[in-house]
Amino acid sequence: MTENGFRAEEIDTSRPHPARIYDYLLGGKNNYEVDREAGDRLAAAAPEVWSGVRANRDFLRRAVRYVVGSGIRQILDIGTGLPSSPNVHEIARELAPDVRVAYVDNDPIVNTYANVLLRGSAATSIALADLRDPRAVLDHPDVREVIDFDEPVALLLVAIVHFLTEAEEPERVLATLRDGLPAGSFLVLSHATGDFADRSAAQAVYDNATATLNLRSRAEVERLFDGFTLVEPGVAEVPFWRPDAPPRTRPGDIGYYGGVARKTD
């Protein structure tokens, strides 16, 4: 057994994992050959993926700054992926040192690396749990250790919901999470899309991964925000969501939508 309570054989390195593919595309080192091969196939099928993951990461930074600037002092980041500095707690605490962050991922490797990074921080935790079981995420003791659901929370679902199939009912998952949040909470979400190009070859890269890639249209992404009120500019291509400077890309160059919304009641 490892110190986190799972067996080494439970870490599946025979198939690529989305978190480790993402880590590779961001230039990280916490990945395996199978993940790097998948990342290279993905980039061959959709060359914009290199700039896309960075644009998505930049969206995350801006969105975290927005919600913290709006008064949020606790963040639940589901599908956090492998640590990549600046991490969410680092971004948030540049504005407010008292922000508490609970990270959640279903990959034991993510759990291990994050535990090392966060060791000794009482205001930050990492939970091994799966978005497909949102009630278990909300009730996880490592989440409850730092998140008080009687106070507003920023829920981060950044580049994760597109790994839910329709059979896994993403709108139900979102509704369960939404209903667990008090008024004044925020949802930060980004999602891959095929609106601008045929990305069936890119999707096929994930067919043998631990989760499939499920592209959705802008209208479908907007429905994931049901029960929340979108802040301006609504659901937008991630480089164009409240950019710090004029985007270097043109509309349609990056296959991600993103948005931030508030729960008002």
Side-chain angles (χ1 to χ4, degrees):
M1 300 288 286
T2 74
E3 64 183 50
N4 295 311
F6 52 83
R7 296 184 300 274
E9 58 267 27
E10 291 179 25
I11 302 175
D12 186 356
T13 59
S14 66
R15 295 187 296 164
H17 188 285
R20 301 193 304 260
I21 296 172
Y22 197 78
D23 175 73
Y24 169 64
L25 294 171
L26 282 172
K29 301 182 184 301
N30 300 320
N31 48 73
Y32 294 90
E33 183 63 29
V34 67
D35 306 306
R36 295 188 285 275
E37 290 175 354
D40 288 340
R41 293 198 305 275
L42 183 62
E48 77 277 7
V49 70
W50 298 106
S51 54
V53 294
R54 285 165 176 78
N56 189 67
R57 193 76 187 177
D58 288 341
F59 162 76
L60 170 66
R61 291 190 188 99
R62 298 193 304 275
V64 168
R65 292 187 185 116
Y66 176 83
V67 298
V68 173
S70 299
I72 289 294
R73 293 297 179 266
Q74 45 183 6
I75 297 173
L76 175 57
D77 182 6
I78 304 178
T80 181
L82 285 148
S84 179
S85 188
N87 295 286
V88 167
H89 66 282
E90 295 169 326
I91 299 165
R93 289 174 190 162
E94 287 179 355
L95 295 178
D98 58 338
V99 173
R100 303 187 304 279
V101 181
Y103 292 107
V104 178
D105 204 281
N106 70 349
D107 185 356
I109 294 176
V110 172
N111 185 278
T112 298
Y113 278 104
N115 262 309
V116 171
L117 175 70
L118 303 174
R119 188 172 292 155
S121 174
T124 314
S125 70
I126 174 72
L128 185 63
D130 198 309
L131 176 62
R132 298 175 183 87
D133 188 353
R135 189 69 253 170
V137 171
L138 295 173
D139 292 338
H140 198 290
D142 291 329
V143 170
R144 295 277 173 169
E145 179 182 353
V146 298
I147 301 295
D148 176 3
F149 286 101
D150 290 328
E151 299 294 333
V153 179
L155 170 63
L156 308 189
L157 295 173
V158 176
I160 182 65
V161 178
H162 49 233
F163 295 116
L164 296 180
T165 66
E166 287 304 302
E168 290 164 334
E169 301 178 289
E171 292 180 31
R172 173 194 58 82
V173 169
L174 265 293
T176 300
L177 293 170
R178 179 197 66 221
D179 292 347
L181 302 177
S185 295
F186 283 90
L187 170 62
V188 175
L189 182 147
S190 68
H191 196 296
T193 185
D195 277 358
F196 311 114
D198 179 2
R199 288 294 170 246
S200 54
Q203 283 184 281
V205 171
Y206 287 88
D207 287 350
N208 294 318
T210 58
T212 59
L213 179 63
N214 305 275
L215 304 178
R216 293 183 173 94
S217 67
R218 179 172 180 166
E220 290 171 318
V221 174
E222 287 175 337
R223 284 199 293 273
L224 298 172
F225 288 93
D226 283 354
F228 294 88
T229 301
L230 283 158
V231 302
E232 291 296 330
V235 172
E237 296 171 54
V238 290
F240 300 93
W241 191 90
R242 295 179 178 248
D244 298 324
R248 297 179 182 179
T249 59
R250 298 168 300 177
D253 282 352
I254 303 297
Y256 282 98
Y257 287 122
V260 176
R262 191 164 198 166
K263 184 176 178 182
T264 55
D265 54 24

